[in-house]
Amino acid sequence: MEALAQVLEATLSPDGNVRIKAELELRQIYYNRPDTGAALVQLLLNPSVPLPLRQSATTTLDKYVLATWSLGNKEFVGMEYEGGRRMALPEEAKGVVRKGVWEGLESPEGKIRSGCAKLVSNIAHTDYPDAWPNLPQQLLTLLSSPNATSVHGALRVLNDFVGADLSEDQLIPLARDMLPRLQDIFQTRQVHSPSTRARAVLIFRQCVETLFMVKDNHPQAVQTAVSEILPRWLSSFEAFLQAREPGEEVIVGAVSKTLDTIQTCFAKSLTPHLQPLLWSGISTLASLYPYYRALYLNTSLPQPNLPPTEEEMESSDLSSDLENTIANCLDWLCNSTKRKPAKKILIENKLPKKELETLIALTLQYGKMSEEKEEEWANDASAMIADEEDELAKFDVRLAAMDLLSVLRDAYEIETAHALWTAIQQVTAESEAQRQAGEKDWWKGYEAVLNATASISAELIDFLSENGEAANFFNIGSLFDGIVFPNLPNIQHPFLQGRAFVFASQFSSVLPPGVAERYVEAAMEVLQKPDASVPVKISSVRAVKNFSKLLPPGAMNIKNVRIIKDLAPLLAQTTDNVTVLLIETLQAAVSAGGELLDEETAKVMSDAVLHAWGSHFRDPILTAAVGDFFGSVAATSTPLANQLLVALVLPKLSEAISTALSNPDAPQAEPALDILGSILDQKTLPLGEGFFNPWAGPVLKLLLTSEDPDIMMEGLKALTSMVRKDVQQIVNWRDESHTGLDYIFQIVSRSLSGSGGFSNESGGMYVGDLVVHLLRKASQAVLPILPDLLTAFVKRLGTATTVSFIQSLILPFAFLIQAGEMDTVLNLLEGVTVTTTDGSQKNGLEVLLTTWIDNYGYFQGYWNIKVSTVALSKLLVAQRPSLNNVIVKGDRIITAQNANVIMTRSRARQNPDQYTMIPFPIKCVKVLLHELQSAGDDAVITSKNETVDSEINSDDGDDDWEEEDDPTVKDSDLQLLSDFLSGAVAGDDAPFDTQESDQDLKDDPIYNVDVQQHVAAVLKEMNAQCGPSGLEGTIGGALAEEEKDVLRKVMAA
């Protein structure tokens, strides 16, 4: 052991060479000895050994355990035995280590306890339950010890053990004994430290999360546990928050996180306690603010005498940092105030109660800038932009406060406006008093008022315009007069000065005529001043962008030309987020006044943007901004814009795309294609002569050779847009060997073969769209190869797996069927044999119909869904015998395994769903009945045989909303969700993301079909074809009662 101690001591040497030699000796010699673990245990437990050496022994033992304990450890190396075999540590040696580290859990040294707790956790990962079955009981015994250090050691192990090693079946019985003991620890202030008590709370939180995850498998056990345990804990939380003492901030953070978890998982249990907990949370935030101000907003104030941070706060889930505590509390309040039970606590007779007024005043106080943020923003413009404009900004107290204000405004519009104005008066009066007293942070209250008000500017403007009487108590003009205008020249406080510019721009639409232009002039003048601070310049650019975007069309025409001339040269001097902000500002200016640009300014501007992108093309955010910028140029309906694109921009993009022809790994090709796609999406018609020529060759050739699915996807998108907007340019184009259409047909063939970049189905996601629009725009050119194309499509469909790709493959068939080519399509499919994923041989018609009907409900895109629905309805009335012979899935068969159970993936694998099998026409009727119902005002029809989730007893808080909807969910939000699910709202990768507003598709006859009327007419036609018995009499046995009800309503209409 003495020799080992010397080696360990050498690992602590300041001499790097000595350390490396010692570490090598440990790995090469001692890791191969089974007695090393016992020797390390003796060292770490020996109080006479210096603490640094004991800590080194603990760390080394942890590495030794991972390297020698189990083949299942990814760090496993093993010990070398005779014959070169590497084996795990013998069981006898493991027992010595287990016993020793368990003793270490009761060490009086916190660092040793923590190290041994980590060791026990690592050993438990592999040994529990087989080699250490009594570990849970040992932990419970240690948890009940009167010795606080023993309890701390047990909690450190449980923190990992509960989350990583206990199965749901093991946790539920353990929780009955463990949770009361954890609650006793939490409540025993005089025995246990704040960190120990906070850790007890967070282990309880882990148990709540686990109970929620298993409540469907063990409903009765979970319900019993929840009804018995949660009320006691919630009462304890109430008592703690009402009698909190200084130094217990770490517990406040843990309690806030736990309340948020209970609210998410078992909301009904929280409802009876919500009022006292809400008020306690608000009171806690109010009591913490003086500490927060002195520690984070103005460190020149007398510093509070808070207890020192405990050494063991290194855990990421346990922090005594006051900022984290406050952020957690704000986050919990943000989520809890959205719930219906909070309404009666916060408002009364459409006026805010004291609780709401206090809470909103706190959002302004905690919305003030910290000194750390001041320093960071003053030295890092990119960080300032990220925090101000990025939706993924770093979560902190200021952001949490603004999130809470936004939630309150959404939930209680009128009452929040009243309370906010009251809070504004309070904070501005307080700020003025601080200014008079010479306190250096006086300006932060003004800045917070402007920032908070502007954070809900769009909603506030709408509210004031719709509620005339609101202007009587919420006077935006007084904010301009009292804060904005006086502080525009306030160079001593650049963050307040900059905020004044940004605030003015966000409320520019309500400014009197001519006033906004003066603010723009002032912002532009700041950009010309060499001595202006970075925060003010950044704020001025943000303000200019807002002015260009928010002012009425024509209001900024002349100003926008100057903006472009002044800002474009700055791109050469910037990087990162600053470059993105400048490009976004240029884009806003082009959108608002690009038609007034002269040729020289337009060229300088485009050159500057292309150069900036060329230097940072790996930045996806910058690429998106450049795409939006040139998209706005393309949308400008002037000859100059087209000339600029054809002569400058498209050749530069083509150059970047061409790099992938000689170097498949060239990184600039895919982002260049992304920008090209943005230009094509936004380009107004006509495209103009020569628009295809600059990029045709590189893109067409690249799609025939590339192995990159992202390049395939972006390239197909670009070609599809080109087909839709000016297919004649493709028809007319040719190189030395092929025409444009020749290349496209080869690309389609390659995508269907699944080779190269199309081996990933996402690469071919647009191939169906491409063919459909070729059929729409150049059908005569496609007809000669159409049979081969359709054959290739249906053969690829037999092995397709992703819904988006399946939709892409089905759409050409659906388009042709609804366009009157049904017989041609069906004749071809009936003669095709397809090999499916499982290797079986099936008829092409069967493959198409079964795949189509299985995936019909997942189709996206306004126009796509209409094409699919109309095509299915035409198949239904076709009366073709081969359609009756295709058997497809009907309703799900309810069994003992799936009744009243939410099917998870693991359950679905163990008990796959079974379905009735019915002829395709009957399933088609069922699908159309569902479509008819979903197109109407009622909810989507749900067959009793298909969905049972609604019958499951759930404690997710839904019962709290029996009488009133979530106040934060507006009808427009629900409509947005509906549009998104139908593909009417843009998504990142959807090939059908803007179909509802696409003028090209609006001009297509299918776009204007009333689906509800069309389906009803088809069902009535089918009813007539069925003779006296009617459709219900013919197939009624296959219909659910809800489906029969819909059918009867259709027939009666």
Side-chain angles (χ1 to χ4, degrees):
M1 185 173 75
E2 185 176 345
L4 176 60
Q6 291 175 353
V7 176
L8 287 176
E9 192 168 1
T11 64
L12 303 175
S13 170
D15 187 327
N17 293 326
V18 173
R19 285 200 313 274
I20 292 172
K21 181 181 178 182
E23 288 166 359
L24 284 173
E25 187 174 353
L26 279 174
R27 284 197 296 268
Q28 294 172 359
I29 299 176
Y30 288 98
Y31 280 23
N32 275 312
R33 294 175 52 175
D35 60 346
T36 297
L40 289 168
V41 164
Q42 290 181 45
L43 282 171
L44 71 88
L45 293 178
N46 189 344
S48 65
V49 174
L51 182 59
L53 191 57
R54 295 173 67 190
Q55 286 180 262
S56 179
T58 307
T59 304
T60 303
L61 181 57
D62 189 49
K63 295 176 181 177
Y64 177 77
V65 164
L66 292 173
T68 65
W69 206 267
S70 169
L71 278 72
N73 290 338
K74 64 180 181 180
E75 300 91 344
F76 180 78
V77 176
M79 290 180 294
E80 188 172 347
Y81 285 79
E82 292 182 8
R85 294 180 303 154
R86 291 206 164 264
M87 305 289 287
L89 197 64
E91 184 56 39
E92 182 181 356
K94 288 182 178 181
V96 173
V97 173
R98 270 195 294 264
K99 182 176 181 297
V101 297
W102 186 262
E103 290 179 21
L105 292 179
E106 300 186 83
S107 169
E109 289 290 348
K111 292 182 181 296
I112 301 302
R113 283 198 308 276
S114 297
C116 287
K118 183 182 178 184
L119 275 160
V120 171
S121 296
N122 284 338
I123 293 171
H125 291 335
T126 57
D127 283 11
Y128 179 78
D130 297 335
W132 205 347
N134 61 337
L135 176 59
Q137 193 55 49
Q138 285 181 273
L139 286 169
L140 287 178
T141 301
L142 201 59
L143 207 59
S144 303
S145 169
N147 186 341
T149 58
S150 301
V151 171
H152 169 257
L155 288 174
R156 290 303 302 258
V157 177
L158 278 169
N159 197 63
D160 290 334
F161 188 62
V162 170
D165 296 302
L166 283 179
S167 69
E168 54 194 51
D169 295 323
Q170 294 163 337
L171 174 65
I172 290 177
L174 178 63
R176 294 192 189 100
D177 295 324
M178 179 176 65
L179 292 180
R181 298 185 193 188
L182 291 175
Q183 188 176 1
D184 289 341
I185 294 167
F186 165 61
Q187 293 174 320
T188 315
R189 174 180 284 139
Q190 63 274 22
V191 176
H192 299 293
S193 69
S195 65
T196 296
R197 295 163 61 204
R199 194 173 297 283
V201 173
L202 290 179
I203 294 171
F204 165 64
R205 175 173 173 255
Q206 285 183 309
C207 292
V208 172
E209 291 173 334
T210 304
L211 288 172
F212 177 71
M213 289 189 289
V214 305
K215 69 185 180 74
D216 297 319
N217 284 348
H218 305 277
Q220 191 56 52
V222 171
Q223 182 61 37
T224 300
V226 167
S227 61
E228 293 178 356
I229 294 168
L230 286 189
R232 294 202 296 265
W233 273 89
L234 290 169
S235 296
S236 295
F237 290 160
E238 284 181 45
F240 165 74
L241 290 173
Q242 290 167 4
R244 178 188 61 83
E245 294 182 357
E248 294 182 331
E249 289 73 26
V250 62
I251 310 178
V252 174
V255 168
S256 298
K257 291 171 72 172
T258 304
L259 287 171
D260 206 23
T261 298
I262 295 173
Q263 181 172 259
T264 300
C265 300
F266 302 105
K268 284 193 296 185
S269 299
L270 186 61
T271 299
H273 303 265
L274 190 59
Q275 183 167 1
L277 284 170
L278 265 182
W279 181 241
S280 295
I282 294 169
S283 300
T284 298
L285 281 177
S287 67
L288 290 175
Y289 177 70
Y291 299 103
Y292 179 76
R293 183 189 175 204
L295 289 170
Y296 297 99
L297 304 182
N298 185 358
T299 52
S300 65
L301 294 172
Q303 292 299 287
N305 186 24
L306 292 176
T309 299
E310 297 177 55
E311 289 184 351
E312 69 128 347
M313 295 300 186
E314 75 281 357
S315 174
S316 62
D317 65 343
L318 189 61
S319 172
S320 62
D321 182 87
L322 186 61
E323 277 191 305
N324 286 333
T325 294
I326 292 170
N328 287 333
C329 194
L330 286 167
D331 199 32
W332 168 61
L333 290 171
C334 183
N335 293 323
S336 62
T337 51
K338 292 189 289 189
R339 297 186 55 225
K340 179 186 173 183
K343 183 175 182 179
K344 61 184 178 182
I345 302 170
L346 298 174
I347 65 173
E348 186 175 30
N349 298 325
K350 292 192 176 295
L351 288 173
K353 294 172 71 174
K354 178 185 177 183
E355 288 84 352
L356 182 58
E357 290 183 339
T358 304
L359 191 55
I360 287 183
L362 287 168
T363 66
L364 297 187
Q365 299 287 19
Y366 283 114
K368 295 177 181 177
M369 285 184 66
S370 67
E371 289 184 345
E372 181 183 6
K373 189 71 70 179
E374 286 181 69
E375 183 178 354
E376 181 185 18
W377 285 8
N379 298 306
D380 189 345
S382 188
M384 178 180 178
I385 295 168
D387 286 341
E388 289 280 87
E389 301 221 330
D390 193 342
E391 293 181 358
L392 299 177
K394 179 184 176 183
F395 185 72
D396 58 13
V397 170
R398 179 176 165 104
L399 182 59
M402 293 304 96
D403 286 347
L404 176 55
L405 177 62
S406 178
V407 163
L408 292 170
R409 196 227 68 88
D410 288 343
Y412 317 109
E413 187 175 52
I414 296 174
E415 299 83 3
T416 295
H418 276 281
L420 178 59
W421 188 251
T422 301
I424 287 172
Q425 304 312 302
Q426 294 171 356
V427 173
T428 52
E430 177 187 280
S431 296
E432 181 58 25
Q434 291 171 354
R435 187 179 72 83
Q436 296 289 346
E439 296 179 9
K440 73 172 189 176
D441 63 332
W442 68 265
W443 60 272
K444 293 186 178 182
Y446 286 127
E447 193 275 341
V449 163
L450 296 183
N451 182 53
T453 308
S455 72
I456 55 173
S457 58
E459 297 85 354
L460 198 53
I461 290 170
D462 290 342
F463 169 72
L464 293 174
S465 66
E466 294 167 4
N467 298 272
E469 71 281 1
N472 296 328
F473 67 84
F474 204 107
N475 188 351
I476 292 291
S478 70
L479 294 181
F480 275 91
D481 295 338
I483 305 178
V484 175
F485 187 72
N487 286 293
L488 286 178
N490 188 354
I491 60 174
Q492 288 81 17
H493 298 95
F495 292 108
L496 176 57
Q497 182 188 17
R499 183 65 59 194
F501 278 114
V502 176
F503 180 91
S505 68
Q506 289 173 291
F507 285 93
S508 58
S509 61
V510 299
L511 290 174
V515 174
E517 286 81 350
R518 291 202 290 273
Y519 279 111
V520 176
E521 283 290 340
M524 295 303 295
E525 287 175 9
V526 166
L527 293 174
Q528 303 304 317
K529 293 180 179 178
D531 58 342
S533 66
V534 170
V536 176
K537 286 191 173 183
I538 293 299
S539 297
S540 297
V541 174
R542 292 183 63 222
V544 168
K545 181 177 78 168
N546 290 335
F547 280 123
S548 294
K549 291 172 66 175
L550 299 176
L551 285 175
M556 288 278 291
N557 279 346
I558 303 300
K559 293 282 191 303
N560 281 318
V561 175
R562 180 190 165 189
I563 289 168
I564 292 168
K565 286 184 176 181
D566 287 353
L567 294 187
L570 299 180
L571 284 172
Q573 308 166 28
T574 61
T575 58
D576 301 328
N577 291 329
V578 182
T579 303
V580 173
L581 175 61
L582 285 172
I583 292 174
E584 289 173 346
T585 306
L586 289 171
Q587 186 244 335
V590 167
S591 297
E595 65 275 5
L596 298 180
L597 286 177
D598 59 88
E599 183 175 352
E600 182 182 355
T601 302
K603 185 178 184 306
V604 169
M605 170 189 71
S606 299
D607 270 331
V609 172
L610 285 170
H611 179 76
W613 175 75
S615 302
H616 306 283
F617 54 77
R618 285 184 172 86
D619 184 344
I621 298 175
L622 177 61
T623 293
V626 172
D628 290 341
F629 169 78
F630 284 119
S632 293
V633 172
T636 304
S637 53
T638 64
L640 176 59
N642 193 70
Q643 177 187 338
L644 191 69
L645 292 170
V646 172
L648 175 63
V649 179
L650 294 177
K652 287 286 186 184
L653 295 176
S654 179
E655 212 175 282
I657 294 167
S658 297
T659 58
L661 291 173
S662 55
N663 176 16
D665 297 323
Q668 59 266 57
E670 191 271 329
L673 283 167
D674 192 19
I675 296 170
L676 174 61
S678 298
I679 293 172
L680 284 163
D681 286 343
Q682 297 298 318
K683 183 69 178 76
T684 55
L685 296 177
L687 290 187
E689 186 177 350
F691 196 88
F692 186 54
N693 290 343
W695 55 275
V699 171
L700 292 170
K701 292 173 182 177
L702 187 58
L703 291 179
L704 285 177
T705 58
S706 178
E707 303 288 325
D708 187 334
D710 291 331
I711 285 179
M712 300 295 99
M713 185 169 64
E714 294 299 332
L716 284 176
K717 280 172 61 177
L719 286 179
T720 302
S721 294
M722 191 67 206
V723 166
R724 294 177 59 189
K725 295 204 168 185
D726 194 345
V727 72
Q728 197 57 45
Q729 287 198 39
I730 297 177
V731 172
N732 294 340
W733 185 90
R734 67 174 300 121
D735 64 7
E736 61 280 359
S737 55
H738 299 289
T739 66
L741 287 177
D742 288 338
Y743 274 110
I744 287 179
F745 294 146
Q746 290 179 54
I747 292 165
V748 170
S749 176
R750 184 173 186 246
S751 72
L752 296 175
S753 70
S755 61
F758 294 109
S759 57
N760 183 321
E761 290 187 356
S762 64
M765 186 165 52
Y766 290 85
V767 66
D769 258 25
L770 176 60
V771 171
V772 164
H773 293 298
L774 278 172
L775 290 169
R776 290 180 62 228
K777 302 291 186 176
S779 57
Q780 293 304 311
V782 181
L783 287 178
I785 65 164
L786 186 58
D788 292 337
L789 269 181
L790 295 180
T791 299
F793 265 77
V794 75
K795 287 189 173 184
R796 184 68 180 89
L797 187 61
T799 56
T801 57
T802 58
V803 173
S804 56
F805 189 47
I806 287 170
Q807 173 177 326
S808 181
L809 296 173
I810 289 173
L811 272 178
F813 296 100
F815 176 80
L816 289 167
I817 290 169
Q818 64 83 31
E821 299 296 333
M822 180 170 57
D823 288 338
T824 302
V825 171
L826 298 185
N827 288 338
L828 182 144
L829 290 173
E830 288 167 356
V832 174
T833 300
V834 177
T835 302
T836 61
T837 306
D838 61 8
S840 61
Q841 303 284 311
K842 292 185 179 179
N843 175 267
L845 181 60
E846 181 184 359
V847 169
L848 174 68
L849 297 183
T850 55
T851 310
W852 190 350
I853 217 73
D854 284 348
N855 292 277
Y856 171 83
Y858 301 108
F859 279 19
Q860 295 184 40
Y862 190 81
W863 185 81
N864 294 339
I865 292 172
K866 285 194 171 187
V867 168
S868 176
T869 303
V870 172
L872 280 179
S873 66
K874 290 199 172 187
L875 288 172
L876 179 60
V877 297
Q879 297 292 304
R880 192 175 177 108
S882 60
L883 298 176
N884 294 318
N885 296 332
V886 176
I887 305 300
V888 299
K889 291 179 183 177
D891 295 331
R892 186 164 71 111
I893 298 172
I894 302 302
T895 65
Q897 287 75 28
N898 63 24
N900 297 326
V901 171
I902 296 175
M903 294 301 290
T904 63
R905 291 182 180 178
S906 60
R907 288 183 198 154
R909 284 193 296 268
Q910 295 169 4
N911 299 291
D913 284 336
Q914 299 178 13
Y915 293 84
T916 61
M917 302 304 292
I918 58 178
F920 166 76
I922 296 177
K923 180 66 175 184
C924 200
V925 170
K926 293 166 75 69
V927 166
L928 292 178
L929 287 171
H930 281 249
E931 181 65 37
L932 187 63
Q933 184 74 353
S934 65
D937 294 329
D938 298 330
V940 178
I941 185 171
T942 303
S943 167
K944 289 179 181 177
N945 290 336
E946 291 182 345
T947 302
V948 295
D949 295 359
S950 61
E951 299 173 7
I952 301 173
N953 291 325
S954 174
D955 187 21
D956 58 6
D958 290 344
D959 290 352
D960 290 335
W961 299 94
E962 289 177 354
E963 298 177 0
E964 186 173 341
D965 294 332
D966 184 339
T968 66
V969 179
K970 313 295 185 186
D971 290 342
S972 58
D973 298 329
L974 297 175
Q975 183 59 47
L976 180 65
L977 175 61
S978 174
D979 290 344
F980 178 79
L981 294 175
S982 68
V985 176
D988 288 343
D989 295 313
F992 20 75
D993 50 15
T994 56
Q995 290 191 345
E996 193 170 15
S997 59
D998 191 311
Q999 189 58 49
D1000 173 48
L1001 294 179
K1002 282 185 176 181
D1003 294 337
D1004 192 278
I1006 197 71
Y1007 183 95
N1008 297 308
V1009 170
D1010 185 316
V1011 171
Q1012 199 170 11
Q1013 291 183 7
H1014 176 81
V1015 170
V1018 167
L1019 291 173
K1020 288 180 178 180
E1021 182 180 345
M1022 280 294 297
N1023 189 63
Q1025 289 179 2
C1026 291
S1029 60
L1031 187 55
E1032 184 177 350
T1034 304
I1035 67 168
L1039 299 180
E1041 286 303 316
E1042 294 91 338
E1043 294 167 337
K1044 291 178 183 177
D1045 289 343
V1046 176
L1047 182 60
R1048 290 166 192 156
K1049 290 177 183 177
V1050 172
M1051 296 305 121

